[in-house]
Amino acid sequence: MSLLNNKQKNKSKSTATPSSTTEHSDSAAILSTVEDKSADQSAQVSVTDKTTSDELSFVHDAVLLQETVAAVLGVKSLPKQTGNDAEDSVNQSNDDQNGLQISGIYVDATFGRGGHSRLLLSQLADDAQLIVFDKDPTAISVAQELASTDSRVKVVHDSFATLTDSLAAMGIVQVDGLMADLGISSPQIDDGSRGFSFMRDGAVDMRMDTSRGQSVAEWLMKVDDETLANVLYDFGEERHSRRIARAIKQMDSFESTLELAEVIKVAHPNWQRGKHPATQSFQAMRIFINNELGDVDAFLEQSIPILKSGGQLAVISFHSLEDRRIKQFLQRHSKGQYPEDENLPMPPNRPRYFSKPKRVGPSKAETSQNPRSRSAWLRMATRTDIDYLPVGDQ
């Protein structure tokens, strides 16, 4: 456990995650475009393991920053900042007159580089608590550095899928607000050694938590063609999954992301303009190896009993596989309409655990400044005062 102080002027910003959503432009194309634009910088990125200090130096913009923090606090907007730029608002001290001074217990389920957490802390009172989660050891290092000077913050190095158990271990049963920024982070992409990028060479790893679990390379050595093809189709929506899977399995080794990307590129029969042919396959393998969708489902289900009456849920997603889950979850639990009741002649009255959900996208100004925000959706809802009932007891 470590602790954070919002009074320090830490210049690092939180992560922006590139993926896609149903209504927005395809995330894969955005990721490919961003990677292509920075391809000329790839030679500057070492293919060997980078030190923690190298990755800590990455600076990126938090997506939908003001909107997300306002949503998790349950206010329409945050007070206007007196600083000269957005960075001042992120690093605003707790005793600033512009802060809302709200008490309560809040969770940042995906700390990243802490952009959302820092702005949230600037609006919280001295007696508030903020628990931050992240899988990535480097993100945890940033969180611990910040937390070392602020007793309001506690750090959990684990997936947000462990939300209930991790909070219970701290003696916390319910919280006032939950926020999450899903998907991959910009520092993870920009560090070629992590294996997420098909434009920067590195080990074929793709683990968000490099301290545990198997890498994509280890998995590829064991998986059969059919299973691999199903993963590429299910998690990357790759229509040519079987052809690509056969080509991947014919490789002699899986030591280089650039070699893997080239094999996929050659095997792919239908290139799209402005989109690298390996985009969807890399996305699929990353989502699978990190159990990203399973973690999202677990997090959403736990949000119901964890949130207090009137508590706020705010989740940012970047691709349709995640966004669809959040949308359907909130619709189901705000209407009290569940799939198991569809064929019943007289469906029972089900609890409505959330208010009518709302959705917000990035402004034109934000997408202009940060292209990686273009596919983002923020979905939010308020926990109603109906007592929580386990699914079997509803």
Side-chain angles (χ1 to χ4, degrees):
M1 297 283 157
S2 303
L3 312 170
L4 162 209
N5 191 343
N6 65 324
K7 294 183 180 181
Q8 72 175 32
K9 297 298 183 179
N10 190 305
K11 300 298 184 181
S12 62
K13 299 180 182 179
S14 92
T15 60
T17 52
S19 294
S20 95
T21 107
T22 308
E23 296 86 351
H24 268 213
S25 57
D26 188 288
S27 73
I30 291 173
L31 172 56
S32 182
T33 301
V34 172
E35 295 244 32
D36 289 341
K37 287 182 179 178
S38 55
D40 59 334
Q41 302 173 0
S42 61
Q44 302 174 17
V45 182
S46 171
V47 298
T48 59
D49 290 338
K50 300 180 72 64
T51 63
T52 300
S53 62
D54 287 336
E55 194 173 346
L56 291 178
S57 68
F58 288 133
V59 177
H60 293 270
D61 295 328
V63 174
L64 291 162
L65 178 60
Q66 296 277 333
E67 297 88 341
T68 302
V69 173
V72 80
L73 290 173
V75 298
K76 290 185 177 180
S77 62
L78 301 181
K80 291 184 178 180
Q81 306 301 323
T82 57
N84 294 325
D85 54 36
E87 188 173 296
D88 289 336
S89 68
V90 174
N91 296 304
Q92 183 184 15
S93 65
N94 188 51
D95 58 1
D96 194 306
Q97 294 300 315
N98 290 331
L100 293 172
Q101 299 294 304
I102 295 177
S103 297
I105 303 174
Y106 294 87
V107 173
D108 183 349
T110 51
F111 179 79
R113 292 302 178 271
H116 293 100
S117 282
R118 289 188 185 91
L119 183 57
L120 177 59
L121 283 167
S122 74
Q123 306 300 316
L124 295 181
D126 290 340
D127 62 351
Q129 294 186 61
L130 176 62
I131 296 86
V132 301
F133 286 70
D134 210 292
K135 290 182 178 181
D136 193 316
T138 307
I140 290 300
S141 295
V142 176
Q144 290 172 339
E145 179 184 350
L146 293 171
S148 64
T149 53
D150 192 327
S151 59
R152 294 177 296 172
V153 176
K154 296 181 180 179
V155 181
V156 179
H157 180 197
D158 214 334
S159 165
F160 52 52
T162 69
L163 183 68
T164 300
D165 291 341
S166 294
L167 292 178
M170 301 177 190
I172 298 173
V173 179
Q174 288 189 311
V175 302
D176 296 274
L178 291 172
M179 64 180 179
D181 182 1
L182 304 180
I184 192 172
S185 72
S186 292
Q188 289 168 331
I189 294 173
D190 295 339
D191 181 357
S193 68
R194 299 296 299 273
F196 295 107
S197 174
F198 43 74
M199 298 296 293
R200 298 168 173 83
D201 202 13
V204 184
D205 194 321
M206 301 194 199
R207 288 174 298 166
M208 291 184 176
D209 187 348
T210 54
S211 68
R212 66 190 86 173
Q214 66 176 341
S215 67
V216 168
E218 293 170 330
W219 175 68
L220 288 175
M221 292 176 65
K222 304 172 186 177
V223 70
D224 58 79
D225 293 21
E226 183 177 359
T227 301
L228 175 56
N230 289 339
V231 167
L232 298 183
Y233 183 82
D234 292 339
F235 300 114
E237 300 176 302
E238 176 54 72
R239 294 194 303 168
H240 306 287
S241 60
R242 299 196 180 281
R243 180 169 178 168
I244 293 172
R246 288 194 297 269
I248 292 175
K249 288 301 294 180
Q250 290 173 4
M251 295 179 67
D252 294 330
S253 66
F254 306 103
E255 299 178 355
S256 166
T257 50
L258 289 184
E259 290 180 4
L260 176 60
E262 182 63 23
V263 167
I264 297 172
K265 179 179 177 181
V266 172
H268 203 296
N270 185 22
W271 297 6
Q272 296 182 33
R273 184 176 180 180
K275 177 178 176 180
H276 194 290
T279 303
Q280 290 169 259
S281 295
F282 267 59
Q283 173 186 296
M285 290 183 283
R286 185 205 86 218
I287 290 175
F288 172 80
I289 211 68
N290 292 291
N291 190 35
E292 292 180 37
L293 299 183
D295 283 2
V296 169
D297 290 339
F299 169 73
L300 291 173
E301 289 297 333
Q302 291 174 70
S303 72
I304 300 175
I306 285 295
L307 279 170
K308 295 179 180 178
S309 172
Q312 307 294 323
L313 176 66
V315 186
I316 304 171
S317 63
F318 290 79
H319 63 74
S320 60
L321 295 176
E322 291 174 340
D323 186 63
R324 189 180 303 122
R325 278 171 156 74
I326 302 164
K327 175 182 178 180
Q328 293 176 350
F329 171 82
L330 291 177
Q331 286 182 338
R332 184 167 63 250
H333 290 290
S334 63
K335 295 179 179 179
Q337 298 175 352
Y338 299 91
E340 57 267 33
D341 298 337
E342 290 180 357
N343 297 321
L344 296 179
M346 295 183 64
N349 291 325
R350 299 286 192 180
R352 299 183 181 186
Y353 294 126
F354 287 100
S355 64
K356 183 179 180 180
K358 299 178 181 179
R359 184 187 69 172
V360 175
S363 66
K364 290 183 179 180
E366 179 170 5
T367 57
S368 176
Q369 181 179 358
N370 180 15
R372 290 182 179 183
S373 69
R374 285 181 291 178
S375 62
W377 281 121
L378 167 63
R379 293 188 184 271
M380 62 198 99
T382 303
R383 177 72 164 85
T384 64
D385 59 358
I386 300 174
D387 290 337
Y388 171 69
L389 297 174
V391 174
D393 297 333
Q394 293 175 358

